[in-house]
Structure formats: C-alpha cells, structure tokens
Amino acid sequence: MKAAVGQVRQEYAFSQRRACRLLTVAVSSYRYESRRSDEGLRQRLVELAHEKPRWGYRRLHVLLRRSGEEVNHKRVHRVYREAGLSIRRKKRKHCARTGQPLRACTAANQEWALDFVHDTVQSGRSIRVLGVVDAYTRECLALEVDTSFASRRVTRVLEGIVAERGTPQAIRCDNGPELTSRHFLAWCIERKIELVHIEPGRPMQNGRAESFNGRFREECLNVNWFWNVMDGRWKIAAWKKEYNEDRPHSSLGYQTPEEFARGSGGEKGCGKGAAWKSKSNFSTPLGNPAKGAGFPLSHSPGDDGLNTAD
C-alpha cells in the first residue's frame, strides 16, 4: 500500500494525508519505518547458500533452526529473495506437436492406432497392454501384455503384424517414451511409415484407440481377475478373439470387425506389398491394378480410345 500511496502523490500532487485518506491507509502506517535490521540474517543465508548452492529457502530455514536461530519462514523467504539467492528453475523442454485430426480411412492398413492400457494382477504388480487397432476395419491387431515395454519390444510386436497383413501407411500414437525413441523413429523411417504423434494432453486426437480402450476396459479388464501375467495374457487373448470374430461393432453396421474386413476386401496382407483382386478374382501386384485385370486405369482427354497405363 505504501507504493500505491507514493504513486498517487506523484501523479496527482496530493499531500501525504490526502493520499492516505483516499486509499484508507493510516498515516502512521505509511510513515512507519522498521528499525529491525536483516543484515545478520542476510549474511547467514549467503554463507549457507554458498555451502549448499542448490538448496532452496526451505532447507536453509531448517539449517537455521538447527543452529538455534528462531526465525519465521516468511522472513527467511523475503530476505532470501532480496539477497538474490533464488534458484533458477530449469524449464522442462517439451516436443512441439502439431495436432492432426482423425482421417477418414477408406481401406485397411491406411492407419493403425497404438495406445497402452494399465492394470494390475492379484499380487498388486502393474501390467501394461499394448493395443494396436486398424482405423478402418476396427480390427484389434494386437493386445500384447507385459510388465513393461521398451521401444524394441513395441517394434517386435509390429513386425509380427506386418509379416501377417502388410505394412501400414501411417501409425497414430501418443508421445510416450517407447513411441518417441530413436529406435522407433528409425524403424518407421526405414519402412516408410508416416508417424502421426498427437498433441500432449489431447487424447481425442487418437479417438479410435481411446474408444477401443474404453470397450476393452469395460468388457475385459473390469470383469476379470488376473492371477499373474500369464493368466492375464490368456484371458486378454480370448477377449481379443471374441472382439474380432463375435462382437458386433456399432460403427460397422453391427458387423464384427472380421466380417467387415472380409466384406470390404480387407483380407490379411492388404498393405503396401499385398496383392490386389478384381471383381473376377484376378490377382495382380498392388503397384498397377490395371495391368492384366481387363479394365483401363486412365485415359487422355480428347482421346476416343482408352489407354491402359503400365
């Protein structure tokens, strides 16, 4: 309040009494000057700070009390700051992520969604479940259970899926250490997979994985008791089979993910290196579906005939 009274006197040329009356401050309080000296406390804090340069005022206050000095912690804080002893906190660096909305997929293996789910077994030990979901067919491609996951374990699981159904065009995941490591980034670059990291604190940008996690927790984790990791793997694998083959999915017209994948042509091995099939069931490499399939791929404007591109 003293600073406010001084500012009013300086800007409006008020007298001391008038400025105090306007701000409802007692004149005696404004004129009061402390006769107590903090020089001894300041010197003692400087000495302790030189001995313990990374200790804050709270720990220095404990040292003062141990040495027999009874001083209020608020006074210690004020003198500590006035002496310029405050520790500069290192600001944590965060990766800048640009959010990308969910894409409308039109075929299998266009995008896979990855996420982790946590639970505990009977002994209280925590387990983690790595879930991989196809964004188009909503198939659960993997539910890997273990106590911890390194990035190499994640890529080993993905390698098994790739060997079975082909390479995805993109992988959408959060910013966990397993999914931002150099090994995982190099693995995606080597296989020419686009890696889509969501913004920190925005799980809705990976909505398909979050939706699957909700069903997984409600229908499996919350209704099962896992005695150990092996028991959890067995029960979760049984639920994964039921989810893909028996459970009707509302967003797929109440078809099972396996039925929808079969009806949309999303069979196993429908990635970049998979074979394409025409209506006549004629298979040809995916690089050029028109070659030998019996229909034109493109034509030139103004041409009466159609050109088949190789």
Side-chain angles (χ1 to χ4, degrees):
M1 293 300 294
K2 287 187 177 182
V5 173
Q7 182 178 359
V8 169
R9 293 187 60 193
Q10 181 178 1
E11 293 185 3
Y12 301 100
F14 285 176
S15 66
Q16 190 179 94
R17 289 182 178 275
R18 187 177 180 184
C20 290
R21 186 169 59 253
L22 180 65
L23 298 177
T24 64
V25 177
V27 178
S28 60
S29 298
Y30 176 73
R31 293 176 179 175
Y32 174 79
E33 294 183 3
S34 178
R35 298 177 181 177
R36 182 175 55 186
S37 175
D38 295 324
E39 188 60 33
L41 178 60
R42 178 182 291 104
Q43 186 65 30
R44 180 66 176 146
L45 284 175
V46 170
E47 294 175 358
L48 292 176
H50 285 168
E51 296 176 5
K52 306 292 183 181
R54 296 302 302 175
W55 283 20
Y57 81 94
R58 295 182 185 276
R59 287 184 172 84
L60 297 183
H61 178 242
V62 172
L63 293 182
L64 289 173
R65 297 192 62 176
R66 285 178 180 175
S67 63
E69 298 185 37
E70 292 295 332
V71 57
N72 188 278
H73 69 279
K74 292 180 286 187
R75 183 185 175 196
V76 172
H77 184 225
R78 175 176 57 81
V79 176
Y80 178 82
R81 296 190 62 180
E82 290 175 355
L85 302 176
S86 299
I87 300 175
R88 291 187 59 186
R89 295 184 178 274
K90 297 180 180 179
K91 188 175 180 180
R92 185 177 178 182
K93 296 182 179 179
H94 296 277
C95 295
R97 301 292 187 192
T98 303
Q100 298 187 27
L102 292 176
R103 304 169 181 174
C105 299
T106 58
N109 281 12
Q110 285 187 348
E111 183 177 284
W112 292 354
L114 271 66
D115 202 7
F116 287 94
V117 181
H118 299 257
D119 202 20
T120 57
V121 296
Q122 184 269 343
S123 63
R125 189 175 187 180
S126 297
I127 59 173
R128 301 182 73 192
V129 184
L130 170 63
V132 185
V133 180
D134 190 293
Y136 179 66
T137 64
R138 305 303 174 90
E139 293 175 280
C140 177
L141 308 181
L143 279 177
E144 192 75 11
V145 184
D146 211 332
T147 55
S148 62
F149 279 89
S151 60
R152 294 185 181 275
R153 177 68 182 280
V154 175
T155 55
R156 189 161 66 246
V157 173
L158 295 177
E159 285 282 7
I161 306 174
V162 168
E164 181 181 356
R165 57 183 288 129
T167 306
Q169 297 178 13
I171 290 178
R172 183 179 291 264
C173 57
D174 58 19
N175 298 276
E178 310 89 355
L179 307 176
T180 55
S181 65
R182 293 182 179 178
H183 169 74
F184 187 74
L185 298 178
W187 184 85
C188 291
I189 293 174
E190 181 182 354
R191 286 152 185 79
K192 299 181 181 180
I193 300 174
E194 180 186 0
L195 191 56
V196 182
H197 283 111
I198 65 174
E199 291 182 88
R202 302 296 298 275
M204 69 288 296
Q205 293 180 2
N206 197 7
R208 297 185 181 97
E210 294 297 331
S211 176
F212 172 80
N213 291 345
R215 306 288 77 75
F216 175 48
R217 183 166 293 281
E218 290 179 358
E219 300 175 12
C220 180
L221 299 182
N222 290 349
V223 299
N224 283 297
W225 181 270
F226 304 135
W227 290 102
N228 47 45
V229 177
M230 294 301 298
D231 183 50
R233 288 173 179 169
W234 182 81
K235 292 178 179 178
I236 290 174
W239 183 86
K240 171 177 173 287
K241 179 179 177 62
E242 177 188 353
Y243 174 85
N244 286 331
E245 300 178 4
D246 300 328
R247 183 186 183 276
H249 203 294
S250 58
S251 65
L252 304 178
Y254 290 97
Q255 300 180 77
T256 67
E258 190 177 79
E259 290 173 348
F260 180 79
R262 193 183 308 117
S264 62
E267 301 178 4
K268 293 182 179 180
C270 52
K272 294 179 180 178
W276 176 89
K277 289 187 177 181
S278 66
K279 292 183 179 179
S280 60
N281 204 30
F282 186 88
S283 299
T284 183
L286 189 62
N288 185 359
K291 184 177 181 181
F295 69 90
L297 178 64
S298 62
H299 64 88
S300 302
D303 291 349
D304 295 333
L306 298 176
N307 300 324
T308 301
D310 290 336

